[in-house]
Amino acid sequence: MPIRTVVWGENVHEQHNAIVARTYPDGMHQCIADTLNEDPDIEATTATLQEPEHGLTEERLARTDVLVWWGHAAHGDVSDLVVDRVCDAVWSGMGLMFLHSAHFAKPFKRLMGSPCNLTWREAGERERLWVTSRNHPITQGLPDSFELEMEEMYGEPFGVPEPLETVFISWFQGGEVFRSGLTYKRGAGNIFYFRPGHETYPTYHDATVQRVLKNGVKWAFNPMVRIAEPNAAPNVPVDTAPEMIEERGPKLHSDGEEGFR
């Protein structure tokens, strides 16, 4: 069965910026989905901010193996209810790949638990990405480095937790460097952050970037059965403890009480 993937995009710049509309006439989300669908192991559909529940209902997320998220101008417009759903799905085992300006997306900041801040400059600089982990599944089929002729600069420090692994480091024409490919695990879910993809440049038409996207989805996919209740924190009765114990001392909670959250 192919990896069921949903590519989520704001679909805002495509509607209001002529350069973006020419570069991605069907939207960045559709361009990315079309790329992923070139791989027979991936089955990609799209969802956008403008759809009811942003296209991410509980039922759809339950059927999604990997979610791909691109955001920039409308992070604040994303419903907190949908953010809760996305994070629950990740903790349950859904994979999630965050792209470019999604470092400030609500789900990314929630899952990282950090400011996710960085430095930036929009000057059409050349970017060179270096592979820092040759044996990593995300870097399979890639050269040791590759270049993008025009990209937005993101610079360190990047306010995120230390990753499981850094798989790409970028150098920009102005001299800055940035950790452009980071992996994380949150609950049972795998997370991959991949930096390139500023909307006014044709980054997602680049063949090497497209290879990274396909590899990223495959790495993020967790074939195990989802955890049913990732937020469960049950009160375990004394008589079901693995070892026999005698209850003693004062109690704050009553038997069967859910406890405070």
Side-chain angles (χ1 to χ4, degrees):
M1 179 181 294
I3 301 170
R4 299 166 299 179
T5 304
V6 174
V7 180
W8 189 91
E10 282 182 350
N11 196 32
V12 171
H13 295 290
E14 297 93 327
Q15 309 304 317
H16 302 289
N17 185 292
I19 296 172
V20 180
R22 285 197 302 270
T23 306
Y24 300 102
D26 297 319
M28 282 179 284
H29 52 285
Q30 190 61 56
C31 176
I32 294 167
D34 289 344
T35 291
L36 296 175
N37 280 322
E38 293 172 355
D39 192 311
D41 294 329
I42 301 173
E43 181 181 273
T45 57
T46 65
T48 62
L49 176 71
Q50 295 78 22
E51 297 174 43
E53 302 182 65
H54 310 323
L56 300 176
T57 63
E58 288 186 8
E59 294 77 16
R60 191 172 190 189
L61 286 174
R63 300 191 305 269
T64 301
D65 296 317
V66 177
L67 177 64
V68 179
W69 190 285
W70 193 100
H72 188 189
H75 297 313
D77 295 338
V78 176
S79 162
D80 289 338
L81 178 62
V82 171
V83 174
D84 290 342
R85 286 179 191 165
V86 169
C87 291
D88 283 350
V90 172
W91 293 327
S92 295
M94 182 186 74
L96 185 44
M97 180 162 61
F98 289 102
L99 303 177
H100 192 60
S101 287
H103 67 281
F104 270 166
K106 285 182 179 180
F108 188 70
K109 296 190 75 172
R110 172 85 63 84
L111 291 163
M112 294 298 106
S114 63
C116 304
N117 55 317
L118 45 79
T119 62
W120 63 281
R121 179 173 56 244
E122 188 181 22
E125 299 173 54
R126 186 173 74 256
E127 175 183 3
R128 181 180 298 125
L129 291 100
W130 288 93
V131 170
T132 57
S133 181
R134 288 177 172 170
N135 291 327
H136 199 283
I138 292 174
T139 66
Q140 294 306 296
L142 302 184
D144 286 344
S145 69
F146 62 97
E147 291 190 2
L148 299 172
E149 184 58 32
M150 299 180 72
E151 253 299 347
E152 181 179 25
M153 184 280 292
Y154 280 5
E156 295 286 347
F158 188 16
V160 292
E162 284 300 307
L164 285 174
E165 194 161 12
T166 299
V167 295
F168 297 111
I169 291 179
S170 290
W171 169 90
F172 294 90
Q173 201 168 351
E176 288 89 352
V177 297
F178 192 75
R179 291 168 291 163
S180 286
L182 304 177
T183 65
Y184 294 91
K185 192 173 186 67
R186 292 293 182 267
N190 298 318
I191 297 173
F192 175 45
Y193 170 78
F194 184 51
R195 194 216 62 82
H198 187 60
E199 55 271 25
T200 58
Y201 309 128
T203 300
Y204 294 124
H205 295 293
D206 181 88
T208 308
V209 169
Q210 292 177 346
R211 169 49 55 195
V212 174
L213 296 177
K214 295 169 185 174
N215 289 350
V217 165
K218 292 180 179 180
W219 175 85
F221 172 55
N222 179 358
M224 303 299 290
V225 176
R226 291 270 188 96
I227 295 173
E229 297 182 49
N231 293 293
N235 180 342
V236 180
V238 169
D239 59 5
T240 64
E243 301 289 342
M244 184 178 297
I245 58 172
E246 178 182 346
E247 185 176 313
R248 59 183 182 174
K251 293 180 62 173
L252 176 66
H253 300 283
S254 59
D255 291 343
E257 181 184 323
E258 291 187 4
F260 303 119
R261 293 202 181 203

